[in-house]
Amino acid sequence: MNPRAQGGQLDIHDFNGQVALRQCQLMDEFRSVITMGAEAMRFLDTDGQVVGEIPDDGELTNPEVLRGELRRILVESLPEGTVRWGHKVASVEAANGAHRVNFADGESVGADVLVGADGAWSRVRAYLGGAVPEYTGTLWAETFLHDVEVRHPAAAAIVGRGAMLAMQPGKGIFGHREANEVIHSYVVMKKPLSWSDTLDLTNRERALRTIADQLGDGWAPQLIELITAGDTAPVIRPIWGLPLGHTWDRVSGVMLVGDAAHLTPPDGDGANWALFDGAELGTLIAENPGDIDAAFDAFAERMLPRSAESSEEGYQSFERTFGYNAPANLRNMMEGIKTYGREYHQ
């Protein structure tokens, strides 16, 4: 059940992700894994001065949870044996009027009905002739700081109880407080994809210092500490997205959901719409038990326009937050919040 490390926390929205969890009757379990207070967000200048701050209002409209904990409650709600671990999909092909899923270990399985929920590099999308993700030009380098109140008090203070962003054009630092006194830190960099190949990851401290050096001069020491004091070796995460307006061939008995259908740069909506997709599709299948394609058609009519709009907003939000005009955008956003109230959510 824990075959690989998970990424950062997820903010689960009340208008999509929580709707799905409520349909699955998992709200009690969900509330038990919320990182309370983590909806707060602050924006800093490179000298560590606060530009603006959004407090956690306690309404739980976008509460933060660890990915691993969310996955755990979802998996534990299923009958034993529903999830078969260790079966990485290698390819999908047509087979005698149905669909054959081939796994990396050499096994395969045939299916009349196939739902591709297999993420960014979906083999089911490839089977349908769909688009391939494109590199957005942005790398995230991540590390973790543990026991921060005792071991890293300056970093703990500058991040606060929620999320913190300090941006310059095309680069910056993103810190996020997680459960158990952990800070998940990232350096955001506009770099060629090949840049990560030049980084020597065999020496953790040297690699973290090299990453921090990409930010240039003028950053407050407590901000730089979020990277250089990392307790874990850095992980480089290129940011990918599907092209806007992409489509795929409709094939009887096959449908895509989540990132397989609408991968965008991270803006807080990917996991939420994946949850919502799954719940909506499941409901439509239950309502059309004798006609799976009718259920898939009804789902596509709802999902495709929704995902197109969300994808466009996701690209715009990502560029506003992490792009070349990021500092001005953050200041403008904070002015809007001061004027019109809390209308922004990540």
Side-chain angles (χ1 to χ4, degrees):
M1 180 167 166
N2 295 294
R4 64 182 176 86
Q6 300 297 295
Q9 285 191 132
L10 297 168
D11 52 324
I12 303 301
H13 307 326
D14 58 356
F15 61 88
N16 47 17
Q18 291 185 49
V19 171
L21 292 169
R22 189 170 290 107
Q23 284 185 250
C24 296
Q25 301 181 18
L26 289 173
M27 285 303 290
D28 287 343
E29 291 84 351
F30 170 67
R31 292 188 183 99
S32 73
V33 299
I34 289 172
T35 305
M36 300 303 294
E39 285 188 67
M41 181 174 287
R42 60 175 51 165
F43 306 95
L44 307 182
D45 280 331
T46 55
D47 61 3
Q49 297 301 306
V50 176
V51 175
E53 196 158 9
I54 305 173
D56 186 329
D57 60 13
E59 296 295 322
L60 300 182
T61 53
N62 303 292
E64 300 280 350
V65 298
L66 293 173
R67 290 171 187 256
E69 286 296 280
L70 179 61
R71 184 183 68 176
R72 178 182 62 78
I73 66 174
L74 290 167
V75 171
E76 289 179 351
S77 72
L78 300 172
E80 186 72 25
T82 301
V83 177
R84 296 178 62 187
W85 301 105
H87 285 70
K88 181 179 180 180
V89 178
S91 65
V92 181
E93 60 187 359
N96 300 320
H99 319 287
R100 180 158 298 280
V101 181
N102 302 309
F103 300 105
D105 63 1
E107 292 188 30
S108 64
V109 63
D112 295 322
V113 176
L114 177 60
V115 177
D118 51 339
W121 300 97
S122 171
R123 300 299 190 268
V124 181
R125 188 197 317 118
Y127 171 54
L128 300 178
V132 176
E134 300 174 347
Y135 177 53
T136 64
T138 302
L139 294 172
W140 287 23
E142 66 172 22
T143 186
F144 289 86
L145 281 68
H146 296 135
D147 195 16
V148 294
E149 295 294 345
V150 174
R151 298 180 57 239
H152 308 287
I158 204 165
V159 170
R161 301 305 306 179
M164 180 281 302
L165 277 170
M167 296 301 302
Q168 282 291 299
K171 58 187 177 182
I173 298 176
F174 175 31
H176 208 170
R177 181 72 72 101
E178 297 186 352
N180 303 317
E181 302 305 333
V182 171
I183 290 177
H184 197 168
S185 299
Y186 307 82
V187 167
V188 182
M189 302 173 282
K190 293 284 189 180
K191 292 282 188 183
L193 184 60
S194 59
W195 181 86
S196 59
D197 297 333
T198 69
L199 189 65
D200 179 8
L201 298 176
T202 60
N203 184 304
R204 172 177 56 84
E205 292 183 359
R206 184 168 59 229
L208 290 170
R209 170 50 64 183
T210 298
I211 291 167
D213 287 345
Q214 305 309 302
L215 295 168
D217 298 329
W219 293 78
Q222 61 268 40
L223 284 171
I224 295 299
E225 182 188 353
L226 287 167
I227 306 305
T228 57
D231 295 310
T232 61
V235 175
I236 308 299
R237 299 194 183 277
I239 304 302
W240 303 88
L242 287 168
L244 293 174
H246 76 96
T247 59
W248 59 85
D249 297 335
R250 287 298 307 278
V251 173
S252 178
V254 186
M255 183 48 61
L256 302 175
V257 297
D259 281 353
H262 42 74
L263 173 72
T264 61
D267 73 330
D269 270 334
N272 282 281
W273 286 124
L275 289 168
F276 192 89
D277 284 353
E280 184 175 66
L281 181 57
T283 299
L284 289 167
I285 291 173
E287 292 174 352
N288 297 273
D291 192 344
I292 192 69
D293 282 314
F296 283 177
D297 288 342
F299 173 71
E301 287 179 6
R302 302 180 189 182
M303 181 270 289
L304 292 174
R306 175 179 72 223
S307 64
E309 180 180 2
S310 177
S311 294
E312 185 171 357
E313 292 176 352
Y315 274 97
Q316 292 172 350
S317 173
F318 187 81
E319 184 60 27
R320 282 196 304 268
T321 306
F322 301 112
Y324 286 110
N325 200 36
N329 287 338
L330 292 178
R331 288 186 176 88
N332 292 339
M333 186 170 61
M334 292 311 305
E335 288 302 317
I337 291 168
K338 292 175 186 176
T339 304
Y340 300 110
R342 183 176 180 170
E343 296 179 354
Y344 171 79
H345 68 266
Q346 173 112 354

